[in-house]
Amino acid sequence: ILGAPRLHRIPFKNGGGERSRGILEVRLRAPDGSAIAAFGAHFPSQAAPASLRRQAFESLNELQRGLPDGALAIAGGDFNVT
C-alpha cells in the first residue's frame, strides 16, 4: 500500500445522498512497479433517485481522471445498477 487509504465523499447536488457511503481509494504498487488505484464503492440504492447513482459514477470517473498517466484503475463494489 502506498500512503494511507482515502475516503472521498460524493458531492451530491440538490440534496439526497446524505446517508450514502463515499468512495474508498487505496493506492498500490504492482510487482512490476506500476501504479494501481483501487476504488471501493457502495452507491445509493435503487430506491433512491437514479440521478444520485449518476452523480456517484461522475465522482468515480473524476477520481480516475485525476490519476497519474499510466496508472491502472480498478473499481469494485455495489453500484446498484441492476
Side-chain angles (χ1 to χ4, degrees):
I1 294 179
L2 301 174
R6 294 177 47 193
L7 180 62
H8 302 275
R9 294 286 173 202
I10 300 169
F12 292 106
K13 300 172 185 77
N14 302 321
E18 290 86 8
R19 295 182 7 196
S20 182
R21 297 160 182 91
I23 300 170
L24 182 65
E25 177 183 1
V26 178
R27 298 280 180 105
L28 307 167
R29 178 85 51 212
D32 68 357
S34 59
I36 301 171
F39 297 98
H42 189 178
F43 289 173
S45 75
Q46 292 181 351
S51 63
L52 295 180
R53 287 184 295 287
R54 280 193 293 276
Q55 291 176 62
F57 273 112
E58 290 169 7
S59 291
L60 179 59
N61 288 337
E62 190 66 31
L63 290 171
Q64 186 272 329
R65 284 191 287 274
L67 294 175
D69 289 341
L72 175 66
I74 301 170
D78 186 350
F79 300 113
N80 281 307
V81 293
T82 58

